[in-house]
Every structure is written in C-alpha cells, then in structure tokens.
Amino acid sequence: MQRTCALAGVLSLIALSGVSAQNDARVWTLGGLEEKDADSIYLGYGVPESDDSLGSFTCAPGSGVVKIWVAETSDKLKAGDKATAVLSVGQKTAKVTGKLVPNEEAGVPSFEGSLQAKEPIFAAMTNGETLNISIGGAQRTAPLADAADKFKKFAAACAKR
C-alpha cells in the first residue's frame, strides 16, 4: 500500500512538473507586422511551434477591431452558446460578448469575441503584470512581463485609421 501511495505521489509530482514546464515555455508571439501588406496582425500566448495556446488577439491592420480567441473554457459550457469573457489587468476590466465554438482537441469549447482596439484594457496590458480571463467559471491567466512592447506595437497596428 505504501509503495502505491509513494508511486502515486511521484507520478503526481511528475505530472505537475510537466504542466509547470509547459506553462514556463509559453511566450507572447507577435506576427504580421513584418509583412508590408499583411491582412492580419496576431498576438498570441502559447508554446511556439505547438498547439499549446492560451489564446490570441488578432486584427486587420487599421481596422480598430480586435478579435479575441481563448482556446479552452469550461466543460460546463456548450459550443454554440453565447458567452461573456471578462478580461482584467489590475483594476481595469473589459467584458467581451461572444460565442463558444467547438474544440474537439481540448474537449471543451473555445471562446470567440471582439472589442474595439481603443478599449482601455489594451493599454492596461502594456504596463500590467497579469492578464486574467474569466469565462463561465473558467479562469485563465497569462503573465504580461516582457510583453509590453509587443502589446504597444499590436495596439498601434490595430488602431482605427
């Protein structure tokens, strides 16, 4: 019995270490700015060259509208339903209305919505510590350290022209 408990403890520790290592490998990636005639600018948080993603922000350059995608929500939510995501950085919050879309890989729906690029939450991301995302009881977080410059470039590229 003791060996079983010890083995379970070791396996749990290994599993948690893998999750921690995976989270440590996530970074903010900015794309589309280097292309002169890019039709989309992308800022996402995840592990490069993998399917591991918390989510992303995208826009058509100069459109003034930012599309928001969160990879995983909650197993209590159903694809096809409407939903509201709450983004917060410190005391700044923004409510994003959107919809839940199927995500067979994750087994829970993803969220899609949009906000105006001039929303104060985007400015808060340039100097905040953590982005918190809440959707139907599901909580996700992403550190903002070392991402301020990427958020500034993204906001400038998406701003209404």
Side-chain angles (χ1 to χ4, degrees):
M1 181 68 180
Q2 286 181 328
R3 284 185 184 174
T4 303
C5 290
L7 181 60
V10 169
L11 291 175
S12 295
L13 183 59
I14 290 170
L16 289 173
S17 298
V19 168
S20 178
Q22 207 171 36
N23 286 340
D24 290 345
R26 286 182 171 172
V27 295
W28 287 101
T29 303
L30 179 62
L33 287 179
E34 61 283 346
E35 300 171 33
K36 183 177 178 168
D37 295 324
D39 60 351
S40 181
I41 307 296
Y42 167 87
L43 181 60
Y45 184 68
V47 177
E49 310 294 325
S50 80
D51 291 336
D52 180 349
S53 175
L54 172 87
S56 64
F57 302 97
T58 58
C59 73
S63 68
V65 177
V66 175
K67 293 180 182 176
I68 299 163
W69 176 73
V70 179
E72 297 179 21
T73 59
S74 166
D75 60 1
K76 295 178 179 125
L77 302 174
K78 288 186 171 188
D81 288 351
K82 292 181 182 180
T84 300
V86 178
L87 307 180
S88 61
V89 176
Q91 299 300 313
K92 288 282 184 208
T93 62
K95 290 185 178 183
V96 184
T97 57
K99 63 182 176 180
L100 299 168
V101 295
N103 183 340
E104 284 83 23
E105 209 173 284
V108 298
S110 296
F111 172 84
E112 291 180 347
S114 62
L115 276 178
Q116 295 296 310
K118 63 184 176 186
E119 284 289 327
I121 193 71
F122 294 114
M125 290 180 203
T126 65
N127 60 16
E129 293 180 20
T130 304
L131 169 62
N132 297 292
I133 304 169
S134 175
I135 305 167
Q139 302 288 323
R140 304 284 181 255
T141 61
L144 296 170
D146 303 324
D149 192 48
K150 291 175 183 176
F151 274 100
K152 286 177 186 174
K153 288 178 180 178
F154 179 79
C158 295
K160 184 91 171 160
R161 292 185 194 150

